[in-house]
Amino acid sequence: MTTTTTDTAPQAIATRENRIPEQAARAMATAGGALTVVSCFLAWTWTSAFPGDLTVYGYPGGLQWLVLVGGALTTLFGLSSYGIKGLRWLTPAGADAAIKLSALAALYTTLYTVKAISTALGGLVNLEPGGFIVLIASVIAYLGARSLPFERPELDEADPEDSWWDRYKLGYRNRWAVTKAAHASGTPKPARALPASVEILIIAAVLAVGLGVFTYGVTTPYQELFIGFLITAGFGFAALQKAGLVARFTALTAKHRNVALVGAFVAAAAFPLTQTDDQYATLGVNILIFATVALGLNIVVGLTGLLDLGYVAFLGVGAYTAALVSGSPNSPFGVHLPFWAAIILGAAASMVFGVLIGAPTLRLRGDYLAIVTLGFGEIFRISMNNLDGVSGPDLTNGPNGVAGVPNVNLFGFDFGANHVFLGFTIGRFANYFLLMLLVTLIVIMVFRRSAESRIGRAWVAIREDETAAEAMGINGFRVKLIAFALGATLAGLAGAVQAHVNYTVTPDQYVFANAVPPNSAFLLAAVVLGGMGTISGPLVGGALLFMIPNKLQFLGEYQLLVFGIALVVLMRLRPEGLIPNRRNQLELHKDLEAPAVLSKAGA
C-alpha cells in the first residue's frame, strides 16, 4: 500500500511560511545572475598580461564571455520560473534544478578565473573592482539558487512478495509523486505544438549554436580558456537538460529525423569555412576520424554488447592496407591505386580480419572475449613492428612505418592543394575534413539502417540476454559475427582516410592505451561516455575524448590521472552517458517513467 502525506494544518502553515523565503531565494538567484552579466562588461584586472585582456570596460574578453553565458542562463531560467510570458518555454521540466546548475557554471568559472589571475599575476591584489563584483554576484546567485526549496516526497518501498504488476504500479505512483513535487512551485507548462516550419527553424538554430560551441572549443588558444570552456559547457549542458530543453530538442529531431541529419551534415561541413589556421583544421579532421571509429565500435559494444578491447587494430588494418597500395615509396608492392580502390581494399581487409578473428573467438563471452580481443590488438601491433625484413618479411618497414603516402586525388580534385570556394580558401586539412565527413555520413547511414533492421533487433536481443535470444531462434554466433565484421569494416574506412591525412602509418599509433588517442581504451570510453546504442552519443563522446587530451597536454604526466578521475566522476553522476539510449537510461535510473513504447535501438 502507498503511504501518502496529507496536507495537515502544520504542513499548510509551513508552506505559507516558506513562501516568502522561496520568493527571496528566486529573486536572489535571478538578480545575482543579472549582476554577473553586468560585471562581465567591467575590467577584472589592471594588466593585459593575463590571456584574454580582461582590462577593457564595456566589452567582455576571454573568460568573461564564459562567465557571461553562465550568468545569462541563470537570469533567463530565473525569469522563466516567474511564468513571464515569452520565457515559459525555457523550462518545460521545471526551473529550480536548471537555475542551480547554471549558477554553478557561473560561480565555478568565476572562481577558476580569479584563481588563474592570482596565480599568473601574483595575488588577488591584481584584481580590479570588476573582478570582486563578479565574484560577489556569482556567490549571491548560487546562494539564492541553493536556497530554492525542493523536498523529495516520501516514497513507498516494494514488498518482496508483490507481483510484477504491483511493483509496476508502485513505481508509477512514486514517479508521479516526484514529478508533482518538482512542478509544485508553479513552473511553466510544456509549450504548445508548433508548425512544422517553425520546428525545422528551431533545429537549424540549435545546430548553428552547436557548431559555434564546437568551433569555440576547438579554437581556444590557451589552456585557461579551454578549462573555463569545459566548466561552462559541462554545467550549462546539464542545466539545459534539467530544464527539459534537451529532451524537447531530441523530440523535434526524432520527428524530423531526415531534416536533422541533413542539417547536422551542413553544419559540420561549414566548420572548415570558419578556420584560417591549419592547426585547428587538423584537429577537426582527427576528431572526425576518431568519432567515426567510435561509432563503428558502437555496433559491437553498444548494440550487440560485445566487449572489444582491440578494436583500434581494425583501424590499423585499413590504414596499412590503403598506405601499401596508394603509391608509397616504402611499399614493397609498387602499385598506386586510385583512392576509391584503396579505401575499398582497406575496408575489405578489415572485414576479412574481423571475420578471421571473430570466427574462433565469438563463442566466448564476457571477460574471456575481452581478453582475446585485447590480445588481437597487441598481436597486430607487434606483427606490424616485426615485418621489417629482419624479424620477418619486409612488408611494413617495421617501427618506421609506411611513409610518404601521397595526397588523395579523386576525380581530378587534389586534396593536398588549396582551393578557393565562394571567397573562402580551403586548405589541405579542410579538404580532408570534408572527405572524412562524407565517410562519417556513410557510417551513420549504415549504423542507422542496420540498427533498425531485423539484424539490429537481433543484436539488441543478444545484448539483453543471449540465452533467451537463442531460445527464441536467433543464431547468436552468426549475428555476433556479422556485428564484428561490420564494425571492423567501418573502422577500415576511417583508417584508409587516416593514412592519407597523416602521410605515415606506424605501429605505435595503434596501441591499447596511451595519453594520445586514438587507442582502444579511448575508443571504448568514447562509446560509454557518449551513450551506448545511439548515433550522436559516440560522435559527441569521441569529439570530447580526442579534443580534451590534445588541449590538456600542459598537464604532462598527470594528464591520464586527471582524465581518469574526471571519467570516474562523470560515470558516477551519469552512467548512461551524455546522450543516452532510452532503454539504458531506464535501466540505470529506476525513478524514470517508462514510455508506452520504447524507442528503436538506434534512436
Side-chain angles (χ1 to χ4, degrees), residues 207 211 214 262-274 288 433-434 437:
L207 291 175
L211 172 63
F214 175 76
V262 173
F265 181 81
V266 172
F271 171 75
L273 303 180
T274 65
L288 203 54
F433 181 90
L434 296 175
L437 187 61

Side-chain angles (χ1 to χ4, degrees), residues 60 65 78 116 137 164 179 204 262 340 369 479 528-530 559:
W65 282 108
W164 68 270
T179 303
V262 173
W340 63 266
L369 177 62
V479 167
V528 177
L529 173 66
Q559 180 179 345

Side-chain angles (χ1 to χ4, degrees), residues 102 159 205 304 407 418:
S102 57
D159 189 338
T304 318
N407 284 308
N418 293 337

Side-chain angles (χ1 to χ4, degrees), residues 106-375:
L107 176 62
Y108 285 161
T109 309
T110 299
L111 291 175
Y112 172 74
T113 304
V114 170
K115 180 182 180 302
I117 292 174
S118 248
T119 303
L121 301 181
L124 292 176
V125 70
N126 293 282
L127 288 178
E128 287 287 290
F132 293 103
I133 292 174
V134 70
L135 188 59
I136 295 172
S138 59
V139 170
I140 291 174
Y142 171 70
L143 292 177
R146 188 174 177 81
S147 301
L148 291 175
F150 174 73
E151 296 182 1
R152 193 175 186 87
E154 183 179 353
L155 303 180
D156 300 331
E157 296 183 0
D159 189 338
E161 297 180 1
D162 285 347
S163 65
W164 68 270
W165 178 246
D166 293 331
R167 289 173 179 270
Y168 173 80
K169 292 191 294 183
L170 177 64
Y172 179 82
R173 286 194 296 267
N174 285 340
R175 288 189 295 269
W176 176 244
V178 173
T179 303
K180 285 180 62 179
H183 288 264
S185 60
T187 53
K189 298 179 181 179
R192 298 176 182 177
L194 299 174
S197 57
V198 176
E199 292 178 344
I200 293 174
L201 288 176
I202 292 174
I203 292 175
V206 172
L207 291 175
V209 172
L211 172 63
V213 172
F214 175 76
T215 303
Y216 187 90
V218 170
T219 57
T220 47
Y222 50 93
Q223 64 189 42
E224 292 88 355
L225 186 61
F226 182 72
I227 293 177
F229 167 76
L230 289 181
I231 296 172
T232 303
F235 282 100
F237 178 80
L240 294 175
Q241 188 173 42
K242 286 295 185 180
L245 292 177
V246 174
R248 176 169 290 178
F249 178 70
T250 302
L252 289 180
T253 56
K255 184 177 179 180
H256 306 281
R257 190 159 52 172
N258 292 329
V259 173
L261 183 61
V262 173
F265 181 81
V266 172
F271 171 75
L273 303 180
T274 65
Q275 303 303 308
T276 57
D277 190 344
D278 263 358
Q279 173 188 355
Y280 300 126
T282 305
L283 183 58
V285 68
N286 285 318
I287 286 174
L288 203 54
I289 291 173
F290 183 73
T292 303
V293 178
L295 183 58
L297 179 60
N298 197 26
I299 293 178
V300 180
V301 176
L303 293 183
T304 318
L306 304 176
L307 186 55
D308 188 350
L309 299 182
Y311 186 76
V312 74
F314 297 121
L315 176 69
V317 171
Y320 265 101
T321 302
L324 290 172
V325 300
S326 295
S328 168
N330 298 118
S331 173
F333 300 118
V335 296
H336 188 176
L337 298 180
F339 174 71
W340 63 266
I343 195 173
I344 291 175
L345 280 178
S350 295
M351 181 185 66
V352 170
F353 270 86
V355 174
L356 292 178
I357 299 303
T361 62
L362 286 178
R363 299 188 187 277
L364 300 173
R365 299 186 186 182
D367 298 339
Y368 302 101
L369 177 62
I371 292 173
V372 170
T373 55
L374 176 61

